[in-house]
Amino acid sequence: MGPEYGDGTRVVHTVSAGAGEPFLAGPVFASAYHLGGENTYGRSHNPTWRALEAALGSLDGGEAVLFPSGMAAISTFLRVVLRPGDTVVLPSDGYYLTRDLVAELPVTVVEAPTTGPYPSFDGVRLVLLESPSNPGLDVCDIAALAAAAHEAGALLAVDNTTATPLGQRPLELGADAVVSSDTKAVAGHSDVLLGHVSTVDHALAEEVRAARTVGGAIPGPFEAWLAHRGLGTLDLRLTRQAENAAALHAALTGRPEVTGLRWPGAPEDPAHAVAAKQMRRFGGVLTFVLRDAAAVAAFLERSRLVAASTSFGGLHTTLDRRAQWGDPVPEGLVRLSAGCEDTADLVADVLASL
């Protein structure tokens, strides 16, 4: 279904049905050995994967290749596009495991903060962005950086996990590829591990797909089915999460217990001007700083609605103290993922828990 339709219509109709057929994401093919045709082997082909890939590719505006996790997606993509001796530019303030992964590859790594300044891209093979960044929620100008990368002969990819395909379409902004952890808001129910790579370059998609087959990083059919089944409510979930994030941002602004409050949807946020230009919605993730680790623990102990979780984007509101995982941030910095609770209940709970 094309971009002439609204987000809600597009995600609902990623699952279609003819007369007399159920509104289902399709059967779960645990194995495709018996199907024949293009379904020759269970590590290479699966109709359940392809159904979700078609849906995600449509939302991204490209061709999607599904993986069992976001890290499987990004590691496979990096192995495909990078060669020994290549130079890759990474966000110094993005997901820490991406930096750990690239540090093990035989490449030259140049780190730059999401907001810049960026180095010259001359001689660079790949520029990898994460916008909004995790956990700082800084934003970069994807279109401008894509143009600069292409002028220098480099590829540019964007980790779009925080934004989701409904919140931001990097391929339309000039990116060569999108990587995503669909474990988060895309699947959205805190019960699935998945990831994907999307690109407008069919040849690149085929290379990534072939690398998945050889490397064996294949998604579980039931996980793919679960994510596809839940995709129809993505617009509704993201809308409520953003409403809750906006209400929490307003409630937390000026509170003496809270510093460093960030949400790109707030007009006063440093990222807002660029975010408003390229994002279609601002999402449900906020970042702020409490006094220390003990203050975070006390907050979680008092809260009746907020759970400690290192993932985000689910139905339940969750909070994660990022320093415990090695992020170079203050001990009390937390990433709060607003869920789909009633706004008044959530705001009251968070304020009481401070």
Side-chain angles (χ1 to χ4, degrees), residues 23-278:
F23 292 114
L24 292 176
V28 180
F29 288 93
S31 166
Y33 302 128
H34 63 290
L35 297 179
E38 64 178 320
N39 299 291
T40 59
Y41 192 68
R43 182 163 36 81
S44 306
H45 310 103
N46 189 295
T48 310
W49 306 344
R50 289 201 300 273
L52 180 55
E53 287 174 338
L56 294 172
S58 174
L59 297 178
D60 277 331
E63 183 175 351
V65 182
L66 196 64
F67 287 89
S69 69
M71 287 305 297
I74 196 167
S75 62
T76 303
F77 174 75
L78 292 174
R79 289 200 305 272
V80 166
V81 300
L82 296 177
R83 297 291 180 268
D86 281 346
T87 298
V88 57
V89 176
L90 290 180
S92 59
D93 50 354
Y95 185 45
Y96 74 101
L97 280 182
T98 300
R99 295 193 299 276
D100 290 351
L101 170 66
V102 176
E104 297 177 355
L105 300 178
V107 298
T108 299
V109 178
V110 178
E111 294 189 4
T114 294
T115 56
Y118 283 84
S120 167
F121 295 151
D122 289 342
V124 170
R125 170 58 177 165
L126 174 68
V127 179
L128 179 61
L129 308 177
E130 184 178 324
S131 185
S133 62
N134 174 22
L137 301 183
D138 279 318
V139 170
C140 60
D141 189 329
I142 295 172
L145 289 168
H150 294 157
E151 184 177 1
L155 296 173
L156 183 133
V158 178
D159 184 333
N160 205 40
T161 299
T162 303
T164 81
L166 298 191
Q168 183 171 260
R169 294 177 183 156
L171 297 179
E172 293 181 359
L173 297 170
D176 298 288
V178 166
V179 295
S180 174
S181 171
D182 301 323
T183 305
K184 313 302 191 297
V186 168
H189 290 75
S190 306
D191 56 2
V192 164
L193 283 173
L194 279 177
H196 78 275
V197 175
S198 282
T199 177
V200 293
D201 184 337
H202 175 69
L204 177 57
E206 285 297 295
E207 286 188 73
V208 172
R209 190 171 286 111
R212 177 183 67 183
T213 299
V214 172
I218 59 172
F222 187 62
E223 286 84 348
W225 184 87
L226 275 176
H228 198 175
R229 183 194 64 169
L231 199 61
T233 61
L234 180 60
D235 173 54
L236 297 174
R237 290 185 278 110
L238 293 180
T239 298
R240 171 58 73 87
Q241 289 166 351
E243 289 171 354
N244 283 345
L248 287 171
H249 185 277
L252 293 173
T253 297
R255 292 284 303 205
E257 307 94 335
V258 172
T259 60
L261 179 63
R262 297 294 306 276
W263 181 59
E268 65 270 27
D269 191 272
H272 182 75
V274 177
K277 182 173 69 171
Q278 68 188 20

